[in-house]
Amino acid sequence: QVEGRRLSGYLFTPIWLAGGGIVMAEKFDPATLPDLMISERTAYMFVVPTILNAINRIPGIESAKFPPLKCMLVGAAPISDETALKAYEIFGDAMYQGYGQTEAGPVLSFNPAGGPVKPGSVGVPVPETDLQIVDVETGVRVLGVGEIGLNKNTRNEITVFEEQVEIAAKHDQLILIHTPHLQDKHKGTSIIVD
C-alpha cells in the first residue's frame, strides 16, 4: 500500500525493484500535471484514455518538454485515434499503447518501441505470446489475416442491445448505444432510443 491506497503490483514491481517510487496526487488536475511530472522527474506513467485525452487538452502541452519520461503507457480501455495520435505528437517515442487482461498476465501486446504509429492498433504480441482471433459464431474457427471477425450484428451484439433497451425501458430512461459496424468500424454508430 502507498498512502493508504492499494496499487496493482504488476506494473509497478519493476520500478520498485529498481529503486523507484510512486507519486500520487490527491486528485487528477490537468492544469498542474506538467509541473508535477517535471518536478518529480516522472520516468514511467500509466494512464487510461480519458486521462490522456485531458492531458492532450492542456493549453500549451505541445511545447512542454518531459526529458525524464521514458514510458507513458496507455491502456485499460479503448482509445480513440484522435487521442492516440495527439499523444504521439506530444510524447513521441515515450508513448506506448497496450492491450491485455488480468487473466493473461496482464499484457498481451504493445506497439513496438520506435515503430510506426498505426491508428486503431495496439501493436504486436509480447514475447512468448500467441494470439488468435476466433469467429464469434463458432467459437472455434480462427480468422485469417485481414479477415473481419465482426460481421455487422452478431448474435452477441444483438443480445446486448436488447438487454440495454429492456433495462432503459424498465426505468423509463433514454439510452445511448455505441456499436461499431462493418461499414463504419472506426467511428461506430450512436443511436438514441427512447
Side-chain angles (χ1 to χ4, degrees):
Q1 282 193 335
V2 176
E3 296 181 17
R5 297 182 179 103
R6 292 181 191 209
L7 297 173
S8 178
Y10 67 84
L11 286 175
F12 304 109
T13 301
I15 295 167
W16 293 331
L17 292 174
I22 294 178
V23 177
M24 294 186 68
E26 189 61 36
K27 65 177 185 165
F28 174 67
D29 179 6
T32 62
L33 183 67
D35 289 338
L36 181 63
M37 289 174 67
I38 292 167
S39 68
E40 295 292 338
R41 299 186 39 77
T42 302
Y44 299 91
M45 190 169 178
F46 176 75
V47 296
V48 296
T50 305
I51 297 293
L52 187 59
N53 190 37
I55 293 169
N56 287 351
R57 297 179 189 284
I58 297 170
I61 191 71
E62 296 86 358
S63 61
K65 303 292 180 218
F66 305 99
L69 189 64
K70 296 176 183 176
C71 174
M72 175 180 278
L73 173 60
V74 61
I79 184 171
S80 72
D81 291 348
E82 177 187 358
T83 298
L85 291 171
K86 178 75 172 182
Y88 280 113
E89 287 176 25
I90 296 166
F91 299 104
D93 288 342
M95 168 70 182
Y96 290 88
Q97 285 181 260
Y99 171 78
Q101 60 191 103
T102 304
E103 301 85 359
V107 181
L108 296 170
S109 66
F110 273 111
N111 57 310
V117 175
K118 295 182 179 180
S121 171
V122 289
V124 298
V126 297
E128 303 299 321
T129 302
D130 293 321
L131 297 178
Q132 295 179 333
I133 300 174
V134 180
D135 181 348
V136 295
E137 294 294 324
T138 67
V140 177
R141 187 175 71 81
V142 176
L143 301 180
V145 174
E147 189 175 353
I148 296 172
L150 180 65
N151 190 2
K152 287 196 176 185
N153 291 319
T154 64
R155 278 182 273 158
N156 187 48
E157 185 178 5
I158 291 169
T159 302
V160 170
F161 175 79
E162 289 171 347
E163 289 171 358
Q164 290 172 340
V165 170
E166 187 177 307
I167 292 169
K170 180 179 176 182
H171 297 285
D172 195 30
Q173 297 290 317
L174 289 175
I175 184 170
L176 176 65
I177 298 171
H178 176 83
T179 57
H181 293 286
L182 188 61
Q183 296 92 337
D184 198 10
K185 66 180 180 177
H186 296 294
K187 294 180 185 175
T189 304
S190 297
I191 304 169
I192 296 180
V193 179
D194 60 17

